[in-house]
Amino acid sequence: MNWTIELVRQWVIKEFNINMSHRGIAYVLHRLNLSYTRPTYVLAKADKEKQEIFKSDFKALKKMPQWLS
């Protein structure tokens, strides 16, 4: 599961009844050497077939020697 700062913030409020700011949660995560994910956009009209072709081509490229450095 990908955790955004907002998800962590909502969890802290629910579990510990502590209200912290977005920046405060980011600071605590950084100090604890934990990472979070930023939300990304999803294209609603993305072509699934082209995505699968790209994924398989990319896996093949990663196996090539120049990608190992």
Side-chain angles (χ1 to χ4, degrees), residues 2 6 8 14 16-17 43 50 53 57 60 64:
N2 294 326
E6 185 57 28
V8 174
K14 181 181 172 190
F16 304 105
N17 201 26
L43 298 175
K50 286 183 180 178
I53 292 169
D57 290 348
M64 297 178 90

Side-chain angles (χ1 to χ4, degrees), residues 9-64:
R9 193 174 86 79
Q10 292 300 321
W11 179 78
V12 168
I13 291 169
K14 181 181 172 190
E15 289 294 315
F16 304 105
N17 201 26
I18 298 172
N19 195 3
M20 293 183 69
S21 68
H22 188 275
R23 181 178 273 182
I25 293 292
Y27 180 73
V28 169
L29 291 174
H30 178 74
R31 289 205 49 186
L32 293 172
N33 201 27
L34 297 172
S35 62
Y36 57 92
T37 57
R38 294 181 186 201
T40 58
Y41 296 100
V42 178
L43 298 175
K45 296 182 180 181
D47 185 343
K48 297 282 185 194
E49 187 177 324
K50 286 183 180 178
Q51 288 179 348
E52 291 303 318
I53 292 169
F54 173 79
K55 286 179 187 177
S56 64
D57 290 348
F58 189 68
K59 282 182 184 178
L61 281 175
K62 287 195 311 187
K63 293 179 182 179
M64 297 178 90

